[in-house]
C-alpha cells in the first residue's frame, strides 16, 4: 500500500450573482473529511483557489487536516470510500455556486485525479448550486476509471507486457492533457493580470457597504472588514488600501431611528475609515448605516 502524502483540491466559484458563500466546505476522501479553508476569500464570487493538504499545506489548522496524521491514509482507502464536496449550512449567504473542482492525490505519475465531468465547459448547465433546498453534497469521479470487469485467466507474459505498454501510453496521454489544461489556465490568469496592469486605471474607485448596528455586514464585504470598537464607533478596514487619502460619506439606515440620529466620518486614511454613530441626543450609540469610500485615481496618459 502507498501512503497519501499530499492532496490538492482546485476549486472555482462561479462568477454569477450570489455565487459566493461564507459557509464551511469540506472535502471527503479516503474515509475522512478535510476543511477547505485558507482564510482569504476562499469562496467569494469568481474565486479560484488551491487547497493543499499534507506536504506543502496552505490550509488553516494544518495539524487537523493532514492525510499523514491520525489516521494515516493509504491509496487503498480511495477504492473503498467516495470522494465528494460537502457544504455546511452554517455561514452567511449559505448558497454556493460551484463552477469547477479537481482533486489530485499524490500529484505525479502515480497520482489519482478526481473531478465532476458535468462541470466541464461553460454556461449555466456546467455549474451547480449547493444549498439546503437543492442538496449540499457533490460526488466526484476518478478520471480514467472503468467499470469492474469479471475475473479472467492470467494473460501470457508477452501479452501482459503489451498491455503494460499500452496502459503506460494512455496514462502518459492523460497526464499530458491535464498538465496542458493546468498550464493553459495559468497562462490565462497571467495574461489577464498583465492586461489588467497594462490597462488604464479607472478614474474613480468606490468601496461601499451596509453595516448593521452590531458590526456585521449586510451583503458582500469582499473589499473591506468591519470592526466595532465600542458602542457607536466602527472602523472600515480596506482589504486593498487606497493610494491616497479617500473621501468618505455615510448615512443612517432603516426606519428604527429618529431623524436626529446621526453618523459622522471621524478619520480617513488610505488603510481605514472610522465612523461614529449616535442617538438623537448626541450620545454615541450603535446604529445601522450605509457608507461609501471614494478615491479619485490618476489615469495613465495615452
Amino acid at each position: 500500500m502507498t501512503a497519501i502524502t499530499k492532496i490538492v483540491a482546485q476549486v472555482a466559484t462561479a462568477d454569477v450573482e450570489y455565487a459566493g458563500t461564507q459557509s464551511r466546505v469540506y472535502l471527503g476522501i479516503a474515509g475522512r473529511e478535510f476543511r477547505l479553508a485558507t482564510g482569504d476569500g476562499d469562496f467569494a464570487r469568481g474565486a479560484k483557489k488551491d487547497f493543499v493538504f499534507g506536504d506543502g499545506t496552505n490550509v488553516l489548522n494544518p495539524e487537523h487536516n493532514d492525510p499523514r496524521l491520525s489516521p494515516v491514509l493509504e491509496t487503498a482507502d480511495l477504492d473503498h470510500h467516495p470522494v465528494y464536496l460537502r457544504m455546511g449550512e452554517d455561514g452567511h449567504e449559505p448558497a454556493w455556486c460551484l463552477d469547477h473542482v479537481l482533486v489530485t492525490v499524490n500529484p505525479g505519475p502515480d497520482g489519482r485525479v478526481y473531478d465532476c465531468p458535468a462541470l466541464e465547459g461553460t454556461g449555466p448547465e456546467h455549474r451547480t448550486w449547493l444549498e439546503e433546498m437543492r442538496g449540499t453534497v457533490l460526488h466526484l469521479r476518478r478520471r480514467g476509471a472503468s467499470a469492474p470487469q469479471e475475473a479472467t485467466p492470467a494473460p501470457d507474459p508477452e501479452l501482459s507486457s503489451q498491455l503494460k505498454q499500452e496502459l503506460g501510453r494512455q496514462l502518459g496521454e492523460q497526464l499530458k492533457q491535464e498538465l496542458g489544461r493546468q498550464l493553459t489556465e495559468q497562462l490565462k490568469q497571467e495574461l489577464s493580470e498583465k492586461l489588467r496592469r497594462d490597462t488604464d486605471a479607472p478614474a474613480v474607485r468606490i468601496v461601499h457597504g451596509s453595516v448593521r448596528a452590531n458590526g456585521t455586514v449586510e451583503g458582500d464585504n469582499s473589499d473591506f472588514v468591519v470592526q466595532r470598537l465600542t458602542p457607536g464607533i466602527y472602523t472600515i478596514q480596506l482589504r486593498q488600501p487606497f493610494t491616497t487619502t479617500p473621501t468618505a460619506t455615510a448615512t443612517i439606515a432603516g426606519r428604527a431611528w429618529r431623524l436626529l440620529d446621526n453618523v459622522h466620518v471621524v478619520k480617513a486614511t488610505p488603510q481605514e475609515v472610522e465612523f461614529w454613530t449616535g442617538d438623537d441626543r448626541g450620545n454615541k450609540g450603535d446604529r445601522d448605516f450605509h457608507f461609501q469610500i471614494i478615491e479619485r485615481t490618476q489615469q495613465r496618459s495615452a
Side-chain angles (χ1 to χ4, degrees), residues 85-220:
L85 291 182
R86 180 177 70 83
M87 191 190 74
E89 291 286 311
D90 56 356
H92 180 58
E93 300 176 344
W96 178 39
C97 188
L98 175 64
D99 186 69
H100 175 75
V101 57
L102 181 76
V103 177
T104 305
V105 180
N106 290 351
D110 298 324
R112 297 194 188 185
V113 179
Y114 299 83
D115 66 357
C116 180
L119 299 184
E120 294 295 329
T122 59
E125 69 275 17
H126 295 295
R127 52 181 178 253
T128 187
W129 286 88
L130 298 180
E131 61 176 334
E132 183 179 6
M133 299 298 293
R134 314 186 202 198
T136 58
V137 175
L138 176 70
H139 284 258
L140 308 183
R141 181 191 304 177
R142 182 182 173 187
R143 283 192 174 181
S146 58
Q149 303 293 322
E150 295 182 0
T152 57
D156 62 69
E158 183 177 353
L159 180 58
S160 177
S161 177
Q162 294 175 355
L163 288 173
K164 287 180 180 179
Q165 293 177 6
E166 178 61 21
L167 288 173
R169 186 190 66 79
Q170 292 181 6
L171 180 59
E173 288 297 324
Q174 292 176 5
L175 288 173
K176 284 195 292 185
Q177 292 176 8
E178 175 58 25
L179 288 173
R181 189 193 68 78
Q182 293 182 10
L183 285 173
T184 299
E185 288 296 324
Q186 182 178 350
L187 286 172
K188 284 182 179 178
Q189 293 179 8
E190 291 177 354
L191 286 173
S192 176
E193 179 63 20
K194 185 177 186 302
L195 286 173
R196 186 190 66 78
R197 291 195 303 266
D198 293 344
T199 302
D200 287 343
V204 174
R205 179 186 168 201
I206 301 176
V207 174
H208 62 90
S210 298
V211 179
R212 299 188 181 96
N214 62 5
T216 59
V217 178
E218 181 177 353
D220 179 34

Side-chain angles (χ1 to χ4, degrees), residues 156-299:
D156 62 69
E158 183 177 353
L159 180 58
S160 177
S161 177
Q162 294 175 355
L163 288 173
K164 287 180 180 179
Q165 293 177 6
E166 178 61 21
L167 288 173
R169 186 190 66 79
Q170 292 181 6
L171 180 59
E173 288 297 324
Q174 292 176 5
L175 288 173
K176 284 195 292 185
Q177 292 176 8
E178 175 58 25
L179 288 173
R181 189 193 68 78
Q182 293 182 10
L183 285 173
T184 299
E185 288 296 324
Q186 182 178 350
L187 286 172
K188 284 182 179 178
Q189 293 179 8
E190 291 177 354
L191 286 173
S192 176
E193 179 63 20
K194 185 177 186 302
L195 286 173
R196 186 190 66 78
R197 291 195 303 266
D198 293 344
T199 302
D200 287 343
V204 174
R205 179 186 168 201
I206 301 176
V207 174
H208 62 90
S210 298
V211 179
R212 299 188 181 96
N214 62 5
T216 59
V217 178
E218 181 177 353
D220 179 34
N221 69 329
S222 58
D223 291 332
F224 62 91
V225 175
V226 177
Q227 286 191 333
R228 175 180 170 273
L229 302 180
T230 61
I233 299 180
Y234 307 82
T235 63
I236 307 298
Q237 298 177 344
L238 303 169
R239 296 185 188 275
Q240 180 181 348
F242 288 115
T243 58
T244 60
T245 301
T247 300
T249 62
T251 182
I252 294 293
R255 298 185 177 182
W257 324 116
R258 297 176 181 268
L259 293 178
L260 292 177
D261 289 22
N262 59 85
V263 56
H264 295 280
V265 179
V266 177
K267 179 180 68 174
T269 72
Q271 291 78 32
E272 67 178 21
V273 177
E274 183 174 316
F275 295 96
W276 288 12
T277 59
D279 58 23
D280 59 347
R281 298 180 180 180
N283 300 313
K284 294 189 187 72
D286 293 337
R287 296 293 184 268
D288 298 345
F289 65 94
H290 304 307
F291 72 88
Q292 286 189 339
I293 306 173
I294 306 169
E295 179 191 38
R296 182 173 182 83
T297 59
Q298 184 177 2
Q299 288 187 309

